[in-house]
Amino acid sequence: MLIRYGTDKFGRPVKKAVVYTKNEHNIPKEKIDFDAILIINRLKDAGFHSYIVGGAVRDLIVGNTPKDFDIVTDATPSKIKRLFRNSRIIGKRFRIVHVVFGQKIFEVSTFRSNADGSSVGNEFGTIDEDVLRRDFTINALYYDPIQEQVVDYVGGMRDIKKHVLRPVIPLDRIFTDDPVRMLRAIKYSAKTDAKISFSLRHKIRANASLLSQISPSRLTEELLKILNSGCAAEIVGEALDTDLYMALQPAATAMMYADKKFESSYMQNLVKLDELIKTSPDARLGQKLVFIIKDFIISLTDWKKESECHTAYGELYTKTWTECRNFVLPMNPQRTELEFAVKAVLTELGIHGKIVQRRKKGRSKQEKN
């Protein structure tokens, strides 16, 4: 274990961070994307500091394989852009760089400052400032894959080992700055088996209503992450306990509060979803949506009677799709995926048929000829 020192305002040495070596963090280098290492190498060769940061480091330490590798550096966006032809600068207030390798996109951002007192400020800063903007200690670790060292400013390594979820930003503003952090808290807790303290849980419940300020597109993104996590049942259980699921799925939450049988079946379907993710991680979104709309569709009508009465399939499908579209709000999945899910559930209920497309009035000149 190494110690990184800085100086205080009087020039005296001050301990800044703990640096864990390869034998202490045990991160297998083969689990790190080669292109992420290439990006860091090129930045370092150009004289800049650069690290993998956040969830990727957390996942590597606990033995999981990260899906994304976010990178931070002291290079400004324009300098990053000059180093990588396969990159583009995005963002208006705080610009970051996307470096593209085929289907893979790596987010490369410049260290941010917290000089304005906000954890969502848009000024460039140093790594010492950047770490204080991270939400939780387990996400505030910086990994240098070249030196194979983990730099820990806030005790994140210790918290990972102890399975503790501890905020970096003070509790009085962590969620007011960005309410989505409440969703991340319960997600990280489930994925890393980290305990949420009483004070943190109380703060989440007290601020749950702030999620109503978040745009539907961002809530959709967060819900899709939950569905793809492989531990959706546990995360949704925490979201219900902390009053957060009402913002994500208000219709489903209301039905669960009103009917314990619906709640039990809904949660059982989420367990089945988690099993699907483990066995078929590349399953299309429509297959996953089946598990959150199935119970709702069953509650809509007497499907056995509908089958016996030979109700037109097109009519049943259209009404069911419309009801499901409203049921999953504010989530806004791709139309084709929700259509797939609705058709799959109807088939499972014994409702078969094809949707007849109406031809437009009038014929083309070619048809007339």
Side-chain angles (χ1 to χ4, degrees), residues 43-59:
L43 285 165
K44 284 182 172 290
D45 288 344
F48 300 108
H49 297 290
S50 184
Y51 303 88
I52 295 171
V53 71
V57 185
R58 178 199 68 225
D59 288 343

Side-chain angles (χ1 to χ4, degrees), residues 336-364:
T336 53
E337 297 303 320
L338 185 57
E339 288 176 347
F340 177 92
V342 170
K343 291 174 183 176
V345 176
L346 290 179
T347 300
E348 189 176 337
L349 293 172
I351 308 298
H352 305 279
K354 292 183 179 179
I355 300 173
V356 179
Q357 298 289 341
R358 292 184 179 179
R359 296 183 64 184
K360 294 181 179 179
K361 292 182 179 180
R363 295 181 298 167
S364 66

Side-chain angles (χ1 to χ4, degrees), residues 305-344:
K305 187 175 180 180
E306 297 286 0
S307 180
E308 291 171 350
C309 293
H310 303 291
T311 308
Y313 180 81
E315 180 184 347
L316 283 175
Y317 166 77
T318 302
K319 289 182 177 179
T320 305
W321 184 88
T322 303
E323 292 289 343
C324 286
R325 176 69 186 84
N326 293 326
F327 175 72
V328 299
L329 289 174
M331 182 174 68
N332 186 24
Q334 289 179 320
R335 183 186 179 102
T336 53
E337 297 303 320
L338 185 57
E339 288 176 347
F340 177 92
V342 170
K343 291 174 183 176

Side-chain angles (χ1 to χ4, degrees), residues 188-232:
Y188 300 150
S189 173
K191 292 185 72 172
T192 63
D193 194 28
K195 295 179 181 178
I196 300 177
S197 67
F198 174 81
S199 58
L200 182 57
R201 186 178 295 274
H202 175 75
K203 200 68 177 179
I204 291 173
R205 285 201 185 104
N207 288 275
S209 61
L210 294 177
L211 280 178
S212 61
Q213 306 169 7
I214 305 303
S215 66
S217 61
R218 199 170 177 205
L219 290 177
T220 298
E221 181 184 354
E222 291 300 323
L223 185 54
L224 293 181
K225 287 179 181 179
I226 292 172
L227 297 182
N228 287 306
S229 67
C231 49

Side-chain angles (χ1 to χ4, degrees), residues 6-194:
T7 55
D8 61 16
K9 61 182 179 180
F10 301 108
R12 295 173 299 197
V14 176
K15 178 182 173 181
K16 287 283 187 178
V18 176
V19 180
Y20 294 91
T21 59
K22 179 181 178 180
N23 293 332
E24 293 166 327
H25 58 66
N26 295 318
I27 292 177
K29 200 168 183 178
E30 60 271 14
K31 279 194 174 184
I32 303 171
D33 192 291
F34 175 79
D35 292 322
I37 297 177
L38 185 151
I39 292 170
I40 289 175
N41 252 324
R42 189 173 298 180
L43 285 165
K44 284 182 172 290
D45 288 344
F48 300 108
H49 297 290
S50 184
Y51 303 88
I52 295 171
V53 71
V57 185
R58 178 199 68 225
D59 288 343
L60 288 166
I61 292 171
V62 300
N64 297 331
T65 302
K67 293 182 180 179
D68 303 299
F69 290 86
D70 292 337
I71 296 168
V72 287
T73 177
D74 54 356
T76 59
S78 58
K79 291 178 180 177
I80 299 169
K81 182 73 172 65
R82 282 198 290 269
L83 288 174
F84 300 95
R85 291 183 179 178
N86 54 326
S87 66
R88 57 177 180 265
I89 296 176
I90 66 168
K92 294 181 179 180
R93 290 184 300 173
F94 187 88
R95 297 177 301 158
I96 61 175
V97 181
H98 278 175
V99 182
V100 183
F101 288 89
Q103 298 296 316
K104 296 182 294 185
I105 298 177
F106 296 90
E107 187 175 288
V108 184
S109 56
T110 308
F111 294 135
R112 292 196 198 186
S113 169
N114 62 349
D116 60 0
S118 170
S119 59
V120 290
N122 298 304
E123 299 295 327
F124 297 141
T126 64
I127 187 173
D128 295 19
E129 295 173 304
D130 188 83
V131 69
L132 297 177
R133 298 181 63 263
R134 303 283 161 182
D135 48 12
F136 301 96
T137 59
I138 62 175
N139 291 329
L141 297 170
Y142 298 77
Y143 178 60
D144 181 344
I146 312 304
Q147 298 293 327
E148 296 190 73
Q149 294 178 339
V150 171
V151 183
D152 183 2
Y153 283 82
V154 291
M157 181 71 79
R158 177 196 60 210
D159 290 342
I160 288 176
K161 301 296 183 184
K162 290 185 175 181
H163 300 283
V164 173
L165 188 69
R166 188 164 56 89
V168 174
I169 302 164
L171 271 180
D172 61 348
R173 61 184 178 86
I174 182 172
F175 300 134
T176 53
D177 280 357
D178 185 1
V180 170
R181 288 176 179 145
M182 293 184 284
L183 295 175
R184 292 177 186 155
I186 61 173
K187 185 172 64 177
Y188 300 150
S189 173
K191 292 185 72 172
T192 63
D193 194 28

